[in-house]
Amino acid sequence: MSKLPDPFREGLARGWKATHGEQGLPSQIECDVAIVGTGAGAGITAELLTRAGLDVVLIEEGPLRTSSDFNQKESEAYRTLYQESAARRTLDGAISIMQGRCVGGTTVINWTSSFRTPDSTLRHWQEVYGLRDFTTEAMAPWFEQAERRLNMVPWTIPPNLNNEVLRTGATKLGISSAVIPRNVKGCWNLGSCGLGCPTNAKQSMLVTSIPAALNAGARLFYQTRAHKLDIQNGQVKGLLCVPIRLNGDKVSDQTMRVVAKHYVVAGGAINSPALLRRSDAPDPHGLLGARTFLHPVSFSAGIFDERIEGWQGAPQSLYSDHFVHDAPLQGPIGFKVEAAPLHPGMASILMGGHGQRLMTRFQQYPHTQMMLSLMRDGFHPESVGGKVRMHLDGSAVLDYPLTDYVLDGFRRSLLAMAEIQFAAGAKVVRPFHEQSDDYSTWAAAKAAIAAFDMKPLLTGAGSAHVMGGCGMASTEALGVVRPDGVHWQVDNLSVHDGSVFPTSIGANPQLSIYGMTNLLATQLVKRLNGKDVVLA
């Protein structure tokens, strides 16, 4: 691969204002708006605020890594780009959670799938949470602007075999499938999206909105943790930050106080509610950190005669919403079916087993296809999600019980995926469950899955999508923030990330965050200095 220019490094050479926490922080700085985080919500907000001429400071606890650092190695990417080195799990250890922790946040390591918020989700928010203005028609312009800005278009290159299996099997069963829009430009089709894009083709915040904000004069502090907001009498008076090492340890007892006119929390669900809880933010209705939602994910491996090579090519390019559309919101949990890329480290987990058993399965690795299902959680009375809790050291953990309601969806999704894989020609199917074996017929797999003990830890589960915890609603009795993203009890504090969603989305959430934040940040600019801005 030829060496490409690194626009972020070039910007730093031109004088972008970026400070590494380990190299020392000033004791106090002032600005118009302080933004916690640099992911999807933070990036769009920073770009719009700086375009309006506001003085913006960005606070990021993760490191700065750019295309010059991305080498397609899991061993380095997980350690430097992910929360807890990709080992973040729920309180009981039953669900692994993949989230970004770097400049650009999860947008740097996601798989580029870009869906608008489903109409059914928006209708539910209108009916249950009073979000009357969040109609499909009203949100369309905000999504359109984000799609143009980040080049979100359906993937036109033929899918890799890992994805084609989904379409082939679905077609044979009469199940609908479609092409996924992706936020890429000039993609080399390498397949390492989850490890940082070495060609800057992925239109993440690292190469779009954060550079735009820095070009306009924003200041970036990285490896700098937003520790606590100083909240007094319904106002934030300051933000206390500490320098941290790559592993998250404090560098010293040195602190930096950020004094701003307005504060935007955009650290992502889990981290945003945690910051507000550490700050003793008003929570009169006990909603902060509650109703935090994942898309709990089940997995199924299919072994084929032909080489699948699930590590190469666009990670996700096809999907099926058949099992979402056929699932009423108030009925059994619905799920979206997609493919999962298989790099060796991830494969060592998803293929199951250890020792000799895992070694035998790795001999089938090039022939293995991996399918996943995203559970649409948060719409049923038995679908209450999880709660962000705090360790004694102030760090956060998500308590997310896998209920019988959710696990029923896991069983149905394992059945659906196995049937699709067999229809596509799989010789063996292996559901991701501790009681699973290799099944050579659909009848055998169906009988085995029906008999599985669907319990946490026995049932393999993961998620890369975290939402809620600072839910938005039309009244303070229903939500942490108002429909404009401003905290109900703290007038100069907003939340601009996926934590404002009242439920899960039912689709990969990045475009939902971009579109929602585009609206909220535009409203915030109008409130702060009366200007009208548009996401270019």
Side-chain angles (χ1 to χ4, degrees), residues 19 81 113-114 169 176 195 204 252 273 402 435 452 486:
T19 301
L81 304 178
S113 298
S114 305
S176 62
L195 311 178
S204 71
S252 66
L402 278 174
Q435 295 173 337
F452 285 167
V486 177

Side-chain angles (χ1 to χ4, degrees), residues 177-233:
S177 63
V179 175
I180 295 178
R182 305 181 65 225
N183 61 316
V184 295
K185 184 184 294 183
C187 179
W188 291 28
N189 208 24
L190 298 174
S192 58
C193 302
L195 311 178
C197 180
T199 69
N200 289 317
K202 184 196 296 188
Q203 299 299 286
S204 71
M205 294 294 93
L206 182 65
V207 300
T208 56
S209 290
I210 299 299
L214 293 171
N215 270 329
R219 287 169 280 170
L220 169 66
F221 292 84
Y222 59 96
Q223 285 189 225
T224 303
R225 177 177 293 134
H227 175 65
K228 188 175 183 180
L229 294 158
D230 177 11
I231 301 174
Q232 302 176 31
N233 301 318

Side-chain angles (χ1 to χ4, degrees), residues 273-288:
L275 172 59
L276 296 184
R277 292 196 64 182
R278 282 198 302 272
S279 307
D280 297 320
D283 184 26
H285 303 284
L287 300 174
L288 180 58

Side-chain angles (χ1 to χ4, degrees), residues 168 172 303-306 420-428:
T168 299
K172 288 185 177 180
I303 315 302
F304 289 77
D305 284 338
E306 62 267 41
I420 292 170
Q421 287 169 322
F422 277 119
K427 300 306 177 183
V428 169

Side-chain angles (χ1 to χ4, degrees), residues 120-121 123-124 127 324 327-333 376 379-381 405:
S120 57
T121 299
R123 285 195 300 272
H124 183 77
E127 294 165 1
V324 175
L329 290 175
Q330 297 299 314
I333 198 166
R376 181 181 58 185
F379 297 85
H380 189 275
Y405 174 78

Side-chain angles (χ1 to χ4, degrees), residues 73-356:
K73 293 181 180 179
E74 288 177 285
S75 58
E76 294 186 22
Y78 296 153
R79 179 174 58 86
T80 60
L81 304 178
Y82 284 74
Q83 291 282 350
E84 300 176 34
S85 298
R88 173 169 274 188
R89 303 186 74 86
T90 52
L91 181 62
D92 63 359
I95 310 175
S96 60
I97 302 173
M98 306 289 273
Q99 277 185 300
R101 178 180 175 270
C102 57
V103 174
T106 302
T107 73
V108 174
I109 49 89
N110 69 23
W111 298 341
T112 76
S113 298
S114 305
F115 297 95
R116 295 188 183 188
T117 311
D119 297 348
S120 57
T121 299
L122 290 174
R123 285 195 300 272
H124 183 77
W125 293 355
Q126 295 161 43
E127 294 165 1
V128 178
Y129 298 96
L131 301 177
R132 307 292 181 195
D133 296 333
F134 290 84
T135 64
T136 300
E137 296 73 23
M139 288 302 297
W142 307 103
F143 288 136
E144 288 169 3
Q145 290 173 22
E147 288 162 347
R148 284 196 302 271
R149 175 70 177 95
L150 303 174
N151 206 56
M152 293 174 167
V153 294
W155 185 237
T156 57
I157 293 176
N160 62 12
L161 286 178
N162 198 47
N163 282 268
E164 187 59 61
V165 164
L166 170 55
R167 179 162 58 188
T168 299
T171 299
K172 288 185 177 180
L173 295 173
I175 293 171
S176 62
S177 63
V179 175
I180 295 178
R182 305 181 65 225
N183 61 316
V184 295
K185 184 184 294 183
C187 179
W188 291 28
N189 208 24
L190 298 174
S192 58
C193 302
L195 311 178
C197 180
T199 69
N200 289 317
K202 184 196 296 188
Q203 299 299 286
S204 71
M205 294 294 93
L206 182 65
V207 300
T208 56
S209 290
I210 299 299
L214 293 171
N215 270 329
R219 287 169 280 170
L220 169 66
F221 292 84
Y222 59 96
Q223 285 189 225
T224 303
R225 177 177 293 134
H227 175 65
K228 188 175 183 180
L229 294 158
D230 177 11
I231 301 174
Q232 302 176 31
N233 301 318
Q235 288 277 310
V236 180
K237 301 298 184 181
L239 170 64
L240 188 68
C241 303
V242 296
I244 60 171
R245 305 186 193 283
L246 180 62
N247 65 2
D249 291 343
K250 284 199 309 180
V251 173
S252 66
D253 291 331
Q254 176 194 15
T255 61
M256 176 177 73
R257 185 178 180 87
V258 184
V259 179
K261 298 174 184 176
H262 200 90
Y263 299 80
V264 176
V265 174
I270 298 181
N271 291 343
S272 287
L275 172 59
L276 296 184
R277 292 196 64 182
R278 282 198 302 272
S279 307
D280 297 320
D283 184 26
H285 303 284
L287 300 174
L288 180 58
R291 290 188 62 81
T292 301
F293 289 100
L294 303 173
H295 288 140
V297 174
S298 61
F299 300 90
S300 181
I303 315 302
F304 289 77
D305 284 338
E306 62 267 41
R307 290 177 66 90
I308 300 296
E309 298 183 355
W311 58 84
Q312 58 80 33
Q316 291 184 325
S317 54
L318 295 168
Y319 72 100
S320 175
D321 272 349
H322 174 84
F323 303 97
V324 175
H325 293 323
D326 284 2
L329 290 175
Q330 297 299 314
I333 198 166
F335 52 90
K336 187 183 196 80
V337 181
E338 298 172 338
L342 271 185
H343 297 279
M346 185 176 292
S348 68
I349 297 171
L350 296 181
M351 290 197 295
H354 60 275
Q356 181 64 45

